[in-house]
Amino acid sequence: MERGDLFVISAPSGAGKSTLCSMLIEKMEWLVFSVSHTTRPPRPGEVDGKDYFFVSEQEFEELVAEDAFLEWARVHGNFYGTHRARVMEQLSRGMDVILDIDVQGAKQVKSKLPGAVTIFILPPSWQALEERLLKRGSEDKEKIKTRLKNAMKEIEEVSNYHYCVVNDKLDEAFEELKAIVSAERSKTRRVLAGRIDITRLKPSPDSWFLS
Ligand code: ADP
Ligand code: 5GP
């Protein structure tokens, strides 16, 4: 039985999802990031086991065959997947888990775990999205074109998400995202499931109040 909440965050590439997710993880100690497996090569500075588990296509296919993934998809020409056992174990320990996954993966997670909270990050404009991808410089122009082409379709999925955050000014978007995550954690079900022992809210038999 899962005790933690599962947050699914999607966005077109370049909207600022990774930036916002790492800010969240840093600030909220009960929240953990689910490290996906991918066949995409690492970008400079990316660390295996922290940003992704970087695997070959053969290794990825083996994991698919073992049914090890909660969801997986081909995105921008590479494979990405969320390791089921790892996520379920974190949720059962009462941790909140954040998945940074694409719209195809989000659909799969929603059908398997309907309690998942879904959040879409939008850029303030198409122009800003292009500029951010070009400025990040982690892909060549051809790959950026693929990501932008996919972005047009991904943005159409926004209405299927519970929440939507427009990442114009980074600090404001972060505050909004933090508010969403905090509100979910304050839901009565969550508080009673772990953060408070309700028996401590009854007077003890020797309390002056009962005499
Ligand atoms: P994603 O994970 O959605 O692909 P990133 O987090 O890598 O996007 O952000 C894409 C680029 O845009 C990065 O270079 C990042 O520093 C920058 N960025 C993120 N948020 C903002 C923002 N609010 N304003 C300007 N630049 C931003
Ligand atoms: P990037 O290559 O920029 O790190 O990620 C590209 C896209 O793949 C992003 O939309 C990101 O959310 C998505 N992604 C990352 N990990 C996973 C995953 O495990 N499953 C799915 N379906 N998508 C993922």
Side-chain angles (χ1 to χ4, degrees):
M1 146 95 178
E2 312 94 56
R3 288 172 52 230
D5 279 324
L6 185 63
F7 293 95
V8 173
I9 305 203
S10 302
S13 185
K17 179 169 33 82
S18 310
T19 309
L20 286 164
C21 283
S22 27
M23 289 166 84
L24 263 189
I25 300 297
E26 203 172 299
K27 277 274 178 290
M28 300 183 145
E29 70 279 3
W30 70 89
L31 191 64
V32 288
F33 181 69
S34 159
V35 181
S36 294
H37 286 67
T38 185
T39 59
R40 161 169 86 59
R43 292 178 185 143
E46 281 186 331
V47 178
D48 188 35
K50 179 173 171 278
D51 299 288
Y52 281 106
F53 292 105
F54 295 99
V55 293
S56 65
E57 287 210 5
Q58 194 192 329
E59 285 169 309
F60 195 93
E61 279 165 17
E62 281 166 13
L63 289 164
V64 172
E66 286 166 21
D67 196 26
F69 291 127
L70 173 63
E71 64 72 37
W72 66 273
R74 189 186 173 108
V75 192
H76 315 317
N78 296 299
F79 291 102
Y80 296 82
T82 303
H83 201 274
R84 187 201 320 269
R86 187 178 281 272
V87 170
M88 298 319 279
E89 194 259 333
Q90 286 164 330
L91 288 175
S92 67
R93 280 198 286 125
M95 307 291 287
D96 286 348
V97 180
I98 193 158
L99 305 184
D100 165 348
I101 61 176
D102 88 311
V103 294
Q104 309 168 72
K107 276 188 192 154
Q108 296 173 48
V109 172
K110 260 173 70 176
S111 73
K112 289 178 186 164
L113 300 171
V117 178
T118 56
I119 308 169
F120 201 93
I121 311 287
L122 280 175
S125 65
W126 184 262
Q127 194 193 343
L129 190 66
E130 284 183 6
E131 282 169 7
R132 285 179 193 175
L133 279 175
L134 289 167
K135 200 167 152 215
R136 186 172 72 188
S138 50
E139 285 84 18
D140 60 31
K141 273 240 166 93
E142 257 333 286
K143 292 216 166 83
I144 290 180
K145 263 193 182 167
T146 307
R147 284 174 179 250
L148 285 170
K149 217 170 101 201
N150 293 338
M152 292 168 72
K153 284 209 199 84
E154 287 163 344
I155 289 170
E156 286 173 14
E157 296 291 329
V158 62
S159 53
N160 295 323
Y161 283 69
H162 294 118
Y163 296 97
C164 174
V165 173
V166 179
N167 179 20
D168 186 358
K169 296 206 171 69
L170 185 63
D171 50 348
E172 286 175 15
F174 176 55
E175 286 306 317
E176 224 174 295
L177 193 56
K178 229 170 45 176
I180 294 167
V181 173
S182 300
E184 289 296 328
R185 189 170 143 81
S186 294
K187 282 201 164 148
T188 311
R189 169 188 63 77
R190 269 307 299 282
V191 175
L192 297 185
R195 284 176 42 213
I196 193 159
D197 175 359
I198 203 78
T199 59
R200 293 185 59 195
L201 292 176
K202 288 185 180 150
S204 65
D206 57 349
S207 164
W208 66 269
F209 162 77
L210 292 176
S211 60

